[in-house]
């Protein structure tokens, strides 16, 4: 069985945004569903291995708030700050503890050039070449965002349940779409669900998100990477999009 916990459900800024003057950032409270760390997830495998998807700059508080056990592996989708640079928070931790990080070759280049003093075993993966941790087969899958971005396709080899974790994106190639079709859950990017920032070509824009979601087939479609730009609360989003699950920090699933 895979136990999945959302450690964060916010876009790159998180909610509240730094010095955020939008309505949500102004009124959000620490323990509400509108408080969102940068998007990340924890997966616990059958025999208790701890996998963390993305190393966000919030990892210090995420590990504390969700009482995480020592991580066996981090999976990094791409080199953007909110996905990779949390490794910088682990300088002292990695002096004392072994840590394996999986990322693609471009992510490795960013790691090498900016944070190679962080002592990790960096394993470079290739898209569509699966590897295994405990009972979970993990396939990095190409998604369209910035050059060389991968999502992750998780298959529990005991239960045969399948989860697709599609990080920041503006679309997915056909090969990825075919692989993730009919998953038990597809977790995907809703950065601009209700707001249009048209000068950001790396994410789906407001009018593109629902048509993209309609093409996906899964038992549950979970929206994450939520931004505060839309001035809608978690409750507002749930009411407006009842056909989708709106992620929140601490949300749990078992597969
Ligand atoms: Zn990104």
């Amino acid at each position: 069985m895979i136990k999945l916990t959302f450690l964060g459900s916010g876009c790159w800024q998180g909610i509240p945004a730094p010095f955020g003057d939008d309505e949500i950032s102004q009124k959000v409270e620490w323990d509400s569903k509108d408080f969102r760390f940068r998007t990340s997830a924890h997966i616990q495998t059958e025999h208790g291995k701890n996998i963390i998807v993305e190393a966000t700059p919030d990892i210090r508080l995420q590990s504390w708030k969700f009482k995480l056990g020592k991580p066996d592996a981090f999976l990094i989708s791409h080199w953007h700050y909110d996905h990779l640079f949390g490794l910088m928070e682990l300088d002292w931790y990695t002096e004392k503890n072994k840590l394996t990080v999986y990322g693609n070759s471009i992510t490795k280049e960013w790691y090498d050039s900016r944070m190679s003093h962080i002592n990790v075993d960096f394993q470079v993966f290739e898209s569509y070449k699966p590897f295994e941790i405990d009972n979970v087969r993990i396939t990095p899958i190409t998604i369209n965002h910035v050059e060389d971005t991968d999502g992750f396709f998780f298959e529990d080899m005991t239960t045969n349940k399948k989860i697709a974790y599609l990080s920041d994106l503006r679309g997915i190639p056909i090969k990825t779409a075919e692989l993730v079709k009919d998953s038990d859950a597809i977790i995907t990017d809703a950065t601009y669900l209700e707001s249009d920032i048209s000068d950001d070509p790396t994410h789906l824009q407001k009018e593109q998100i629902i048509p993209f979601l309609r093409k996906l087939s899964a038992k549950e479609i979970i929206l994450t990477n939520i931004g505060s730009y839309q001035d809608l609360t978690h409750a507002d989003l749930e009411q407006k999009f009842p056909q989708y699950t709106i992620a929140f920090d601490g949300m749990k699933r078992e597969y």
Side-chain angles (χ1 to χ4, degrees):
M1 185 199 291
I2 290 174
K3 290 182 181 172
L4 172 75
T5 305
F6 283 80
L7 305 180
S9 55
C11 74
W12 74 84
Q13 294 202 98
I15 300 178
F19 307 101
D21 58 3
D22 59 89
E23 203 178 321
I24 305 293
S25 294
Q26 288 286 313
K27 70 183 182 190
V28 65
E29 291 181 11
W30 166 250
D31 255 335
S32 80
K33 288 182 179 172
D34 287 310
F35 182 96
R36 300 180 191 274
F37 288 124
R38 266 59 78 88
T39 289
S40 170
H42 173 255
I43 285 176
Q44 190 170 65
T45 69
E46 188 81 33
H47 300 101
K49 295 280 187 194
N50 290 309
I51 303 169
I52 299 180
V53 186
E54 318 290 15
T56 85
D58 298 319
I59 187 61
R60 179 176 71 93
L61 289 176
Q62 287 169 321
S63 67
W64 168 75
K65 184 169 185 182
F66 299 110
K67 299 182 170 52
L68 300 182
K70 288 186 176 177
D72 295 284
F74 274 83
L75 311 181
I76 311 294
S77 62
H78 63 297
W79 54 267
H80 274 165
Y81 175 75
D82 49 322
H83 299 256
L84 173 65
F85 280 66
L87 291 183
M88 303 278 263
E89 296 281 323
L90 303 179
D91 195 355
W92 179 250
Y93 176 82
T94 53
E95 293 232 347
K96 311 288 175 197
N97 299 276
K98 279 190 172 175
L99 182 63
T100 306
V101 174
Y102 294 86
N104 61 34
S105 58
I106 299 281
T107 304
K108 174 75 161 51
E109 281 175 23
W110 278 73
Y111 163 80
D112 285 341
S113 63
R114 288 161 177 84
M115 58 189 86
S116 59
H117 60 288
I118 308 294
N119 180 30
V120 303
D121 171 21
F122 200 114
Q123 297 283 325
V124 176
F125 60 59
E126 287 181 42
S127 300
Y128 306 114
K129 291 203 172 159
F131 56 95
E132 292 172 11
I133 298 177
D134 195 7
N135 61 313
V136 183
R137 181 183 296 125
I138 302 163
T139 308
I141 44 178
T142 301
I143 57 181
N144 304 327
H145 176 51
V146 287
E147 186 192 5
D148 278 318
T149 302
D150 289 275
F152 299 103
F153 185 54
F154 299 96
E155 297 169 89
D156 186 304
M157 294 182 289
T158 313
T159 64
N160 290 321
K161 301 277 186 180
K162 299 175 171 63
I163 312 163
Y165 188 97
L166 310 176
S167 176
D168 304 6
L169 58 76
R170 58 181 166 78
I172 53 176
I174 290 170
K175 187 170 180 177
T176 291
E178 284 174 357
L179 193 64
V180 306
K181 201 171 155 217
D182 300 330
S183 291
D184 291 275
I186 294 179
I187 300 160
T188 190
D189 177 7
T191 301
Y192 300 127
L193 186 57
E194 274 297 291
S195 65
D196 184 20
I197 299 182
S198 54
D199 63 351
D200 182 351
T202 64
H203 292 263
L204 291 171
Q205 297 294 306
K206 177 183 173 181
E207 70 282 0
Q208 299 167 325
I209 292 181
I210 297 300
F212 171 77
L213 296 176
R214 284 204 185 112
K215 286 189 199 154
L216 300 176
S217 160
K219 289 201 178 107
E220 183 179 24
I221 293 176
I222 302 175
L223 304 184
T224 189
N225 280 22
I226 310 288
S228 60
Y229 327 102
Q230 38 231 350
D231 276 342
L232 292 176
T233 65
H234 183 84
D236 294 336
L237 290 168
E238 281 191 326
Q239 195 173 28
K240 189 152 190 181
F241 301 98
Q243 67 276 48
Y244 304 117
T245 300
I246 309 296
F248 59 89
D249 294 15
M251 189 172 93
K252 290 179 188 294
R253 291 288 184 274
E254 289 185 354
Y255 301 96

